[in-house]
Amino acid sequence: MSYWEQRLAKARSYLKGLDAILLCSRFNVTYVTGYTGSDAVALYTDTGSDLFVDSRNTLQAREESHANVYEIRKRWEEIHEHLEGLNIKTLGIESNAIDLDSFLQMKNLFTGIEMNPMGGQLKYLRSVKDPGEAALIGEAARIAGAALGEVLAEGIVGHRETDVAFELECAMRRLGASGPSFETIVASGPRSAMPHGAASERVIGPGEAVVFDFGSMYKGYASDETITVYTGEPSPEFVRVYTHVRKAQALAIDALGPKVRAADVDRTARDYLEGVGLARYFGHGLGHGVGMEIHEMPTLSNLSKDTLEEGMAVTVEPGVYLAGKFGVRTEDTLLITDTACKRLTNLDKDSIKVTS
Ligand code: ZN
Ligand code: ZN
């Protein structure tokens, strides 16, 4: 079976007696049909798969997709006729992705068709990666890591965070990425204590912590990695926090494997930080799945009900944020293997990276 056939087979396993499933979210449409553009709806049954696009996207869809491509103008009216033609009586919908206006139109038009909300299930459709997908995430990470190496080699002290982020994104593009996989975080000095400190106008000074949280997109797949560097000789307090955050991450990574509960992995890191008095400065969850989207299933947090499976790509990113002083986060993306995990990100974080 080709990757596409495997993906369609996986998507069909969600039918569980339903006549058809309608996909609206861009990445699930891409996953199941191969079409990488926007503004499309996919429909699949046990035997067929159809893709509905408008005239702007017909050529691309016919080129990329192995589904039957239909060019439509009145989206929900024409999809309704199509459903009637196929005699669909029960339909799964992506309740987490469909907008309310579309749903109200569907509700009016799709009389006699029972719609079943499947959002909670279908968001797991892409959580287990095939080897081709894992390789693309790895390549995206390799490009992003090499780009950061170039930027650090140029020096960052005296530069604005936004300029450093821009240089990083340029380097990723130059090295083959289609762009950054999310808004690049460059957070220096006291701003490093903001877990989502998107790059600002602040000029990076000497003797500061700088958090880089960044990734690239490569052939439709995202990478995600965080490294905290120091401009100059690290302070003893920074060294202490860095060492504990790294240890928490290492313990959590050691805990990864198939059939492991995601909440337990989060607890491993949190318990360690609790033991050294730092857990109260670690407010966010431990990690998340990565794939076509920067955040996808599973979720690694204390509230997660997810269980890890071979083929999932997940981040492990503990952080400690000391308001007014500095923050430290360290993040890697790991592929769950049949026995443990394999790292997809590359930067060495064992010793504190000192930069100028
Ligand atoms: Zn990240
Ligand atoms: Zn992340």
Side-chain angles (χ1 to χ4, degrees):
M1 254 205 278
S2 70
Y3 284 147
W4 291 119
E5 287 165 324
Q6 285 177 31
R7 288 176 194 181
L8 192 54
K10 200 192 285 184
R12 284 182 171 139
S13 72
Y14 288 81
L15 281 166
K16 295 183 190 117
L18 295 172
D19 293 335
I21 286 178
L22 190 74
L23 298 174
C24 303
S25 69
R26 178 166 183 173
F27 298 105
N28 275 352
V29 168
T30 299
Y31 188 77
V32 171
T33 70
Y35 165 66
T36 61
S38 60
D39 293 315
V41 174
L43 178 81
Y44 64 90
T45 64
D46 249 332
T47 51
S49 66
D50 303 322
L51 178 65
F52 303 92
V53 293
D54 63 56
S55 61
R56 295 169 302 166
N57 297 314
T58 311
L59 280 179
Q60 186 187 347
R62 295 217 159 109
E63 211 170 281
E64 292 179 337
S65 182
H66 45 82
N68 304 309
V69 175
Y70 297 89
E71 184 179 300
I72 54 172
R73 293 182 60 208
K74 290 184 163 179
R75 177 180 279 188
W76 298 114
E77 282 90 337
E78 291 180 50
I79 289 175
H80 176 236
E81 282 169 23
H82 194 87
L83 292 169
E84 296 222 298
L86 292 174
N87 198 26
I88 303 298
K89 297 286 177 220
T90 53
L91 180 68
I93 58 170
E94 277 190 297
S95 43
N96 61 327
I98 196 150
D99 66 273
L100 188 54
D101 281 343
S102 296
F103 177 71
L104 293 173
Q105 286 187 56
M106 288 161 72
K107 203 164 168 276
N108 265 332
L109 288 162
F110 294 11
T111 47
I113 297 173
E114 181 194 300
M115 288 193 277
N116 296 268
M118 301 271 293
Q121 296 168 57
L122 288 167
K123 66 183 180 181
Y124 287 90
L125 177 60
R126 309 188 316 271
S127 61
V128 171
K129 274 68 187 175
D130 59 46
E133 295 182 284
L136 292 176
I137 298 168
E139 181 58 12
R142 191 196 63 73
I143 290 169
L148 185 77
E150 287 188 9
V151 167
L152 293 180
E154 288 293 312
I156 58 171
V157 173
H159 298 249
R160 295 186 308 173
E161 293 170 355
T162 45
D163 294 331
V164 172
F166 179 70
E167 292 303 327
L168 179 54
E169 290 171 9
C170 287
M172 291 195 280
R173 290 286 294 261
R174 204 165 48 237
L175 294 170
S178 59
S181 52
F182 58 95
E183 188 177 7
T184 301
I185 290 176
V186 180
S188 62
R191 293 192 78 252
S192 61
M194 301 159 81
H196 267 181
S200 77
E201 305 278 295
R202 187 178 187 278
V203 175
I204 299 169
E208 292 183 345
V210 186
V211 173
F212 285 90
D213 189 347
F214 64 106
S216 79
M217 283 306 285
Y218 180 72
K219 295 192 176 165
Y221 282 80
S223 75
D224 192 8
E225 182 165 19
T226 304
I227 187 168
T228 304
V229 305
Y230 208 86
T231 55
E233 190 60 36
S235 68
E237 192 183 19
F238 180 84
V239 172
R240 185 180 96 81
V241 171
Y242 187 97
T243 307
H244 287 316
V245 171
R246 263 301 275 177
K247 181 73 183 171
Q249 191 202 21
L251 290 169
I253 290 173
D254 281 347
L256 291 177
K259 300 192 175 67
V260 172
R261 292 179 52 225
D264 291 343
V265 183
D266 180 279
R267 183 163 326 109
T268 301
R270 218 166 286 279
D271 282 353
Y272 174 78
L273 290 174
E274 184 68 47
V276 294
L278 292 173
R280 71 193 137 121
Y281 307 110
F282 173 31
H284 55 76
L286 183 69
H288 54 86
V290 179
M292 289 182 181
E293 288 181 279
I294 187 65
H295 291 135
E296 48 183 61
M297 301 314 278
T299 302
L300 278 71
S301 77
N302 52 359
L303 298 174
S304 177
K305 301 258 182 286
D306 298 339
T307 300
L308 300 178
E309 289 176 51
E310 181 180 357
M312 285 179 168
V314 298
T315 70
V316 172
E317 48 181 305
V320 164
Y321 309 95
L322 305 176
K325 291 185 182 175
F326 63 84
V328 174
R329 179 165 67 256
T330 181
E331 174 182 27
D332 283 292
T333 300
L334 303 112
L335 181 71
I336 308 298
T337 63
D338 56 344
T339 54
C341 69
K342 178 180 158 242
R343 197 152 80 104
L344 296 175
T345 40
N346 304 294
L347 297 174
D348 175 21
K349 305 175 188 83
D350 280 339
S351 52
I352 297 169
K353 188 153 190 61
V354 171
T355 188
S356 54

